[in-house]
């Protein structure tokens, strides 16, 4: 059965520091993986997705994620955090042809 | 495009009352999803439709919850009777629904429900 695990419910970084949000997946078939971001009082919006075309996926707002099959991971990174990156980030894996299974989320705080 | 539209944005009601949440998906999208988000349980899929037909309602908590999609541009989620434990943010999302594993879901702004 497909699932995702996000390590760390809260991550704090200083402005300008590297952002690393962890996601590990479990899937019995080649997975399709997503990162969504949720800003306060808003819905989720897609940051990036892995569809097997390339293992390094670039998304919006300078974020990227690398699919590592050997580690069953799809960690999200950004070289330099900005105050506007403060939000909750969700990793998700496709279940079937339409459904997504979301992780529990990681709240990112950025300090000046 | 206006994106996924949900109404109301906020709802406060008393226990036992009926609550109806509304959603207008993005035009041309064939799949529609209802999610519930709480601190305790995170983001849960309640039900989803494809071409107006309910495909999977296994996430609907109990018979008090019902969802309909009478046409391609409108869906409702109804709770009757409501209970305090139903307090949550309810999201509607839509996708092109082409049965592709890489399909992106587009979320509405959510309805924040408080049942007193």
């Amino acid at each position: 059965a497909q699932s995702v695990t996000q390590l760390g419910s809260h991550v704090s970084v200083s402005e300008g520091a590297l952002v690393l949000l962890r996601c590990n997946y479990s899937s019995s078939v080649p997975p399709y993986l997503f990162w969504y971001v949720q800003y306060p009082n808003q819905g989720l919006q897609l940051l990036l997705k892995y569809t097997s075309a390339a293992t390094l996926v670039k998304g919006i707002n300078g974020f990227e994620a690398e699919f590592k099959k050997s580690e069953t991971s799809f960690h999200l990174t950004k070289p330099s955090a900005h105050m506007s990156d403060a939000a909750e980030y969700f990793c998700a894996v496709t279940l079937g042809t339409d459904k997504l299974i979301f992780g529990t989320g990681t709240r990112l705080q950025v300090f000046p | 495009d206006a994106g996924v539209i949900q109404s109301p944005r906020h709802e406060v009601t008393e226990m036992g009352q009926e609550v109806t949440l509304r959603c207008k998906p993005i035009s041309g999208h064939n799949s529609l999803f209802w999610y519930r988000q709480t601190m305790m349980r995170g983001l849960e899929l309640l039900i989803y439709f494809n071409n107006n037909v309910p495909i999977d309602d296994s996430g609907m908590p109990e018979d008090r919850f019902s969802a309909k999609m009478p046409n391609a541009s409108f869906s409702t989620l109804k709770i009757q009777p409501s209970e305090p434990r139903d307090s949550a943010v309810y999201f509607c999302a839509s996708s092109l629904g082409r049965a592709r594993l890489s399909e992106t879901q587009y979320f509405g702004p959510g309805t924040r429900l408080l049942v007193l």
Side-chain angles (χ1 to χ4, degrees):
Chain A
Q2 282 88 330
S3 67
V4 290
T5 301
Q6 292 184 242
L7 298 175
S9 58
H10 290 82
V11 170
S12 297
V13 299
S14 299
E15 193 172 20
L18 171 72
V19 176
L20 171 61
L21 305 182
R22 300 178 186 273
C23 174
N24 288 87
Y25 69 89
S26 171
S27 178
S28 56
V29 298
Y32 287 80
L33 296 157
F34 302 74
W35 275 100
Y36 280 81
V37 60
Q38 183 180 26
Y39 297 103
N41 299 315
Q42 294 186 27
L44 283 69
Q45 67 179 85
L46 182 70
L47 266 180
L48 50 83
K49 60 182 177 182
Y50 168 74
T51 60
S52 77
T55 56
L56 183 62
V57 183
K58 294 187 184 299
I60 62 172
N61 301 337
F63 283 92
E64 62 182 35
E66 186 172 7
F67 174 74
K68 292 186 177 181
K69 185 177 179 180
S70 61
E71 299 177 8
T72 62
S73 68
F74 190 57
H75 301 332
L76 182 71
T77 60
K78 182 174 180 177
S80 177
H82 192 272
M83 297 293 290
S84 60
D85 295 326
E88 187 144 20
Y89 293 80
F90 292 90
C91 183
V93 64
T94 301
L95 179 65
T97 54
D98 247 339
K99 290 172 63 172
L100 288 176
I101 301 299
F102 286 89
T104 51
T106 297
R107 185 167 298 277
L108 175 67
Q109 285 185 303
V110 182
F111 292 100
Chain B
D1 200 313
V4 176
I5 298 172
Q6 292 187 247
S7 65
R9 292 293 309 277
H10 302 272
E11 177 82 25
V12 180
T13 190
E14 293 188 344
M15 183 173 63
Q17 296 298 306
E18 177 179 295
V19 175
T20 299
L21 311 181
R22 296 173 176 80
C23 175
K24 177 178 170 54
I26 292 172
S27 177
H29 282 193
N30 294 319
S31 288
L32 182 140
F33 308 81
W34 283 102
Y35 290 90
R36 178 173 67 176
Q37 185 179 39
T38 62
M39 289 291 292
M40 292 298 294
R41 301 175 67 92
L43 198 61
E44 304 172 277
L45 176 65
L46 301 177
I47 184 171
Y48 86 93
F49 297 83
N50 184 261
N51 292 321
N52 313 336
V53 175
I55 303 300
D56 186 345
D57 65 354
S58 59
M60 294 287 263
E62 49 199 272
D63 291 345
R64 298 185 298 106
F65 285 69
S66 63
K68 294 182 179 180
M69 192 164 186
N71 58 62
S73 59
F74 183 67
S75 177
T76 60
L77 178 67
K78 187 174 293 186
I79 308 173
Q80 167 62 18
S82 58
E83 296 183 3
R85 60 191 168 126
D86 301 330
S87 298
V89 182
Y90 291 82
F91 289 104
C92 177
S94 69
S95 73
L96 286 168
R98 297 169 295 182
R100 296 183 186 178
L101 295 173
S102 60
E103 209 70 84
T104 297
Q105 292 185 18
Y106 296 83
F107 283 74
T111 295
R112 189 172 297 273
L113 173 65
L114 178 61
V115 183
L116 302 173

